[in-house]
Amino acid sequence: MLVLAIDTATPAVTTGVVTVTGDGVEVRSSRVEINTRKHAELLMPLVLQACSDAGAALRDMDAFVVGAGPGPFTGLRVGMVTAAALGDALGRPVHGVCTLDAIAADCPTGEPLLVVTDARRREVYWAAYDEAGRRVDGPHVEAPASLTRRAGGYVAAGGMAAVLGRPVVGPESPSPGGLVAVAAEALRAGIIPGPLEPLYLRRPDAVEPTGRKRVTAG
């Protein structure tokens, strides 16, 4: 089974082509570029480059997997809307996965793990995983200082892992292989995914105006 993976929930724009086998996943191509402001401009060119690297076309994909966050509103929407549009145009299923789970999938198991990424506003997104790599808490958003006080006994991964003062054992952003690994069981089973649901974890900055501004005097 051939799968295209996409994630724009972190500063990295990530995409790649992955083969799902009976007992694992094999990355055929990977394209990653770090740019916090150009997710929309970079994503589709990287998708097409990843397909070319893998010797495949978009129509050859059996499914799509996309990181559903948590992540900042604008960046996260770019990846999810793109994956949804491709799935709709080609009639393929689109599986949303937690971006933090995908990062955890690329970490060695055997120790309790915290995956921590940048939520901006002096906060972090985080989730906790047990020794077998299963998520046991989160995802949440909070100030890093309060999370650091509870981080004893954990190793860390993700773009903000260093703020915890714990050993860093994993990547800053998800890989195509990690994204697909999270969805691999559902892909093998042929499960039809539900609607994509972004993990924003907090309300947007923009607010609806409460009244009209007066523009004339008197």
Side-chain angles (χ1 to χ4, degrees):
M1 179 184 300
L2 208 56
V3 180
L4 180 75
I6 289 172
D7 188 274
T8 57
T10 75
V13 182
T14 298
T15 188
V17 176
V18 180
T19 299
V20 178
T21 64
D23 58 358
V25 300
E26 177 186 343
V27 178
R28 293 181 52 171
S29 67
S30 176
R31 289 279 181 161
V32 179
E33 188 158 339
I34 310 296
N35 192 312
T36 59
R37 297 182 179 275
K38 291 189 175 182
H39 287 66
E41 294 90 339
L42 292 171
L43 180 56
M44 275 310 299
L46 290 176
V47 164
L48 296 176
Q49 290 166 19
C51 288
S52 178
D53 292 345
L58 284 170
R59 63 178 177 275
D60 298 324
M61 301 302 144
D62 298 298
F64 297 91
V65 171
V66 62
F73 291 86
T74 302
L76 179 56
R77 282 198 297 267
V78 169
M80 297 194 72
V81 169
T82 299
L86 290 171
D88 184 63
L90 296 168
R92 304 291 194 272
V94 182
H95 293 259
V97 301
C98 175
T99 297
L100 305 182
D101 290 355
I103 295 173
D106 284 328
C107 297
T109 57
E111 296 181 88
L113 171 72
L114 288 172
V115 177
V116 190
T117 60
D118 189 4
R120 303 178 185 173
R121 303 187 202 169
R122 300 181 181 180
E123 292 182 319
V124 295
Y125 299 118
W126 68 272
Y129 301 81
D130 65 14
E131 293 86 348
R134 295 182 293 255
R135 178 159 32 109
V136 294
D137 198 1
H140 302 294
V141 59
E142 68 177 283
S146 85
L147 178 60
T148 299
R149 290 192 288 269
R150 308 194 302 278
Y154 287 90
V155 294
M160 295 295 287
V163 304
L164 301 181
R166 305 298 304 162
V168 177
V169 300
E172 295 187 1
S173 57
S175 71
L179 289 160
V180 175
V182 177
E185 185 175 341
L187 289 162
R188 293 189 191 100
I191 293 173
I192 302 301
L196 292 175
E197 296 185 5
L199 295 168
Y200 289 134
L201 300 192
R202 62 188 179 201
R203 297 182 63 83
D205 292 327
V207 295
E208 187 174 343
T210 56
R212 294 180 179 274
K213 292 182 68 174
R214 189 171 182 175
V215 296
T216 58

